[in-house]
Amino acid sequence: MDWWTNVLEGSSSRGHYPGRHGEDRYWDEPRQSVDDLLNFDNEEIEYAIALSLSEEDQKGKKVIAQLEEDEQLAKAIQESLSLESPPRAQYDGGNLVPPYPFSSGYRICAGCNTEIGHGQFLSCMGGVWHPDCFCCNACNLPITDYEFSMSGNRPYHKSCYRKQHHPRCDVCNKFIPTNSAGLIEYRAHPFWLQKYCPSHERDMTPRCCSCERMEPTDTRYISLDDGRKLCLECLDSAIMDTHECQPLYFEIREFYEGLNMKVEQEIPLLLVERPALNEAMEGEKNGHHHLPETRGLCLSEEQTVTTVLRRPRIGAGYRFIDIRTEPYRLSRRCEVTAILILYGLPRLLTGSILAHEMMHAWLRLKGYPNLRPEVEEGICQVLAHMWLDSEIYSSSGGEGASSSSSSSSPSSSSSTSSKKGPRSDFEKKLGEFFKHQIESDTSPAYGEGFRIGNQAVLKYGLRRTLDHIQMTGTFPV
């Protein structure tokens, strides 16, 4: 199954306090009022001009030239007292930032919309602000740092932006670091959407053998004897030994009977550890196996298989201990000698594997010819998907036809969860995940075979599809 890789920028944009003198954040204005300053300067100018004229009249020299110089001086002083013009509207991160209003030559704060007066102010984001009015959109406290982060046209403290927008790893609970290009890169499970640092794919962080989620640092997964890890949620409905699996086995047989596909022979069902399953697979001449790990097997050869006889208990270090096994000699009374299932898997996963292997048994017992892997594995996956769908649908309490291929051939016994008690929200979600695994499988036999077979069943029904397979060895189109 493909995992997603996501790359995103640390923030949408960045802003600065544009210092009025180099890197300064604030601009110090004179404390004197503008009117007083204008009145004072006009009197001084008039006095200077009069004095100059008086002196020139006495001396009789350069009166006209001096007048011109004095007029230029007065004009320069007036221009130096003019306030700066308001900023133009500008684009910021794709959003138009309007110009902020100026009234009677005074600055108007873009935050509180009141006059700033003469003192410290900030000039940024296309406007001017009281220092206390330029606040973080997250904590509402003034931004006093020289740099700040932007999301759209909203400013944030860099630390507040990181808390709100920078993704945390669901495994180590740390902020996911940036890569060499300065971008945030993380992996995400395609179903659970669990986000984690790419480094956890290389540091031997374990995954649950059932739901495939990575083990968080603050959670301990259960260790099975054969090296697998099982999360506590999956452990809650896990089937741990052969005896415990028998009620589920009878439910699957009833499901097949409801489809008018009764399995006549009594076929032994055994729960086994991973080494025993792999050993039996090596001794089996027929069948197709889903690598890299096989979790179920329909045997046709006589073998001796080691089965899990008693449910183990949890010991120190979150490990299962005291597992009891015994050898089971399989004799060939028909085309199928046994069905083997990996122990320690949740009920819904165990049931879907059992429904798949039961279809292998049914095909052999009914004399179907040797089929190509994409046809045999495909139709077996269709039955596993139908059983999962019936379980999930029945637990929802809905009425009417199901949305999956089981709608064409409803089961008379839809095997509700009443025999195991009410199903938790997580178990329902887990059932959807197992369906998703079947639907998104990329292998030619199990994935593409399922999709072609499911389309045939939806179009023609299960019985007509099986008849066509028996006659031609292919799916109807």
Side-chain angles (χ1 to χ4, degrees):
M1 181 180 296
D2 294 333
W3 265 253
W4 296 345
T5 299
N6 289 272
V7 179
L8 46 91
E9 297 182 5
S11 64
S12 54
S13 62
R14 292 195 178 275
H16 299 272
Y17 287 104
R20 304 301 298 271
H21 293 291
E23 303 245 331
D24 292 338
R25 213 170 43 241
Y26 301 109
W27 172 266
D28 290 312
E29 289 286 345
R31 301 294 180 183
Q32 195 173 17
S33 72
V34 175
D35 289 338
D36 291 342
L37 185 60
L38 288 174
N39 292 335
F40 172 80
D41 289 343
N42 287 335
E43 291 173 1
E44 290 292 316
I45 293 167
E46 292 172 1
Y47 176 77
I49 294 173
L51 180 62
S52 176
L53 289 174
S54 175
E55 291 176 352
E56 291 300 327
D57 284 340
Q58 292 176 3
K59 296 179 180 181
K61 297 178 183 179
K62 303 179 182 178
V63 174
I64 296 176
Q66 186 65 46
L67 280 171
E68 291 176 352
E69 292 177 1
D70 290 337
E71 288 175 357
Q72 292 174 358
L73 175 61
K75 184 178 180 181
I77 292 173
Q78 290 290 344
E79 289 177 351
S80 69
L81 292 174
S82 298
L83 298 176
E84 65 181 6
S85 59
R88 296 179 180 179
Q90 56 183 305
Y91 284 97
D92 178 40
N95 298 314
L96 184 65
V97 179
Y100 294 99
F102 284 71
S103 174
S104 303
Y106 294 101
R107 296 177 177 88
I108 301 299
C109 175
C112 65
N113 206 34
T114 62
E115 181 182 309
I116 290 179
H118 299 277
Q120 295 179 331
F121 70 93
L122 301 177
S123 177
C124 54
M125 292 177 60
V128 289
W129 311 69
H130 290 113
D132 290 339
C133 290
F134 189 63
C135 295
C136 172
N137 193 65
C139 67
N140 293 320
L141 296 177
I143 300 176
T144 58
D145 302 325
Y146 178 71
E147 291 187 348
F148 58 95
S149 296
M150 296 283 295
S151 177
N153 60 353
R154 298 180 297 273
Y156 292 84
H157 290 111
K158 293 180 71 175
S159 58
C160 290
Y161 180 89
R162 191 177 192 190
K163 289 178 182 177
Q164 276 206 353
H165 299 284
H166 193 121
R168 282 185 180 271
C169 175
D170 291 330
V171 174
C172 63
N173 201 34
K174 297 177 181 178
F175 289 115
I176 295 176
T178 56
N179 59 19
S180 58
L183 303 176
I184 301 169
E185 179 182 357
Y186 62 89
R187 303 288 188 268
H189 191 282
F191 182 84
W192 301 106
L193 303 182
Q194 182 188 41
K195 300 186 296 291
Y196 55 90
C197 306
S199 60
H200 295 312
E201 292 187 335
R202 303 183 296 271
D203 63 7
M204 306 301 290
T205 299
R207 291 184 185 274
C208 174
C209 64
S210 168
C211 66
E212 297 184 350
R213 294 178 299 174
M214 276 195 168
E215 178 182 10
T217 53
D218 59 350
T219 303
R220 293 296 300 273
Y221 282 12
I222 299 296
S223 297
L224 304 180
D225 278 3
D226 52 19
R228 291 175 293 144
K229 292 276 191 173
L230 194 66
C231 73
L232 298 182
E233 289 90 349
C234 289
L235 175 65
D236 186 55
S237 64
I239 298 179
M240 305 302 297
D241 61 46
T242 297
H243 176 73
E244 193 176 328
C245 194
Q246 296 307 308
L248 178 61
Y249 181 39
F250 293 136
E251 290 180 30
I252 302 293
R253 292 179 69 97
E254 290 174 6
F255 174 76
Y256 269 77
E257 287 184 26
L259 299 173
N260 295 317
M261 296 170 59
K262 184 177 180 179
V263 178
E264 303 292 345
Q265 281 78 9
E266 290 293 331
I267 303 171
L269 169 66
L270 307 175
L271 259 62
V272 298
E273 295 179 280
R274 179 193 282 171
L277 187 65
N278 292 336
E279 194 175 309
M281 184 174 62
E282 291 177 3
E284 179 68 15
K285 297 177 182 178
N286 300 319
H288 319 289
H289 312 298
H290 197 339
L291 300 177
E293 173 159 72
T294 298
R295 295 185 290 194
L297 193 62
C298 180
L299 294 180
S300 298
E301 305 295 328
E302 292 189 349
Q303 297 188 38
T304 299
V305 177
T306 302
T307 179
V308 178
L309 191 63
R310 187 180 68 187
R311 181 186 184 94
R313 61 184 181 88
I314 300 174
Y318 285 82
R319 296 190 64 87
F320 272 126
I321 60 174
D322 293 343
I323 187 170
R324 181 180 172 186
T325 62
E326 71 173 10
Y328 190 101
R329 177 64 185 172
L330 300 176
S331 58
R332 184 182 177 94
R333 296 186 178 89
C334 61
E335 290 295 320
V336 180
T337 56
I339 292 176
L340 309 184
I341 306 290
L342 203 58
Y343 91 103
L345 300 177
R347 175 181 177 274
L348 290 178
L349 180 55
T350 303
S352 66
I353 297 170
L354 182 51
H356 176 104
E357 300 303 330
M358 186 75 78
M359 189 60 191
H360 280 301
W362 188 89
L363 291 171
R364 295 178 193 177
L365 293 172
K366 295 298 180 179
Y368 276 66
N370 290 331
L371 301 172
R372 289 182 291 114
E374 59 268 26
V375 176
E376 183 166 346
E377 300 298 347
I379 195 62
C380 290
Q381 286 291 74
V382 168
L383 267 294
H385 189 272
M386 288 171 62
W387 182 81
L388 279 171
D389 195 63
S390 70
E391 286 287 294
I392 296 168
Y393 180 66
S394 65
S395 67
S396 67
E399 295 180 0
S402 169
S403 60
S404 82
S405 57
S406 61
S407 61
S408 60
S409 302
S411 172
S412 60
S413 175
S414 56
S415 41
T416 66
S417 60
S418 59
K419 297 178 184 179
K420 290 285 289 184
R423 190 167 297 148
S424 67
D425 290 339
F426 175 78
E427 191 177 2
K428 296 173 186 176
K429 185 75 173 176
L430 197 59
E432 294 288 351
F433 169 62
F434 298 143
K435 283 180 59 180
H436 169 79
Q437 280 189 309
I438 294 173
E439 295 162 358
S440 61
D441 195 311
T442 58
S443 65
Y446 291 80
E448 191 60 28
F450 162 75
R451 286 182 282 276
I452 296 173
N454 197 50
Q455 282 298 113
V457 171
L458 287 171
K459 185 175 181 179
Y460 300 105
L462 180 58
R463 174 51 56 189
R464 290 181 62 188
T465 299
L466 290 173
D467 290 342
H468 191 278
I469 290 174
Q470 189 170 35
M471 289 187 296
T472 66
T474 63
F475 289 118
V477 293

